[in-house]
Amino acid sequence: MQLSAPSLTERANALARRVPTGLVWVAAVLPFVWLVWAAATGGLGADPVKAIELKLGLWGLQFLLASLCITPLRLIGLNLIRFRRALGVMAFFYIAMHFLAWVVLDMGLRGDEILRDLYKRPYIILGMIGLLAMIPLALTSTNAAIRRLGPLAWRRLHRLAYVAAVVGAAHFVVLVKGWPSEPLLYAAAVAAVLALRLPLFRGSGR
């Protein structure tokens, strides 16, 4: 009997199984290494602090979106679940570095300047809400945390990732003046991922 050729999804899954998860961690750190090198060599333009903040925040949002796409991709048979932890943890890392860049490099750890900036630019509060939502996710990203919480409670807790994605996209939209297309595309991507997750939310209740 003639066997049918493997589908594109089956070939992609076979390739993903051969990729070590450690390689994903290393690849996820490379943008940060490049940023440190570019900052040290003066390759970030006339306002390096703003460039650092923007790149860190953008990479954090990209990794967060990538981690949120893992489950919807399973609806079409693509199984990348092995990489979700790395993507999620690195999303938290870049968003935390984005916050620290603002506090340390931009505000100089001056409390009065931080409060004044929060008053002048309330979209920063949105970003802080996103970071706070991701802290419990990072703290419970281990197998031990899953066993301690139980799979159902762990999945419910990790829905905070969608809160972080929504407020992160809103933070980016309000941050960039003039309504350019890039932040709107990220907002649309977050909305699309949420729409794809709605049937899964209903299913998890059962």
Side-chain angles (χ1 to χ4, degrees), residues 24-111:
V24 177
W25 287 98
V26 171
V29 172
L30 289 180
F32 184 76
V33 174
W34 173 84
L35 187 63
V36 172
W37 177 84
T41 56
L44 294 177
D47 195 345
V49 172
K50 291 300 180 186
I52 290 170
E53 289 180 4
L54 180 60
K55 289 182 183 301
L56 288 171
L58 190 58
W59 290 334
L61 185 56
Q62 288 169 353
F63 276 107
L64 180 57
L65 269 172
S67 69
L68 294 177
C69 287
I70 297 294
T71 299
L73 285 174
R74 297 179 73 181
L75 297 174
I76 62 171
L78 189 58
N79 188 356
L80 304 176
I81 197 72
R82 296 171 56 239
F83 310 125
R84 184 169 61 182
R85 180 179 301 175
L87 295 173
V89 171
M90 292 309 300
F92 172 75
F93 169 77
Y94 280 108
I95 292 171
M97 290 299 103
H98 172 67
F99 173 75
L100 287 176
W102 171 67
V103 170
V104 178
L105 301 180
D106 201 351
M107 296 292 101
L109 293 174
R110 297 186 299 272

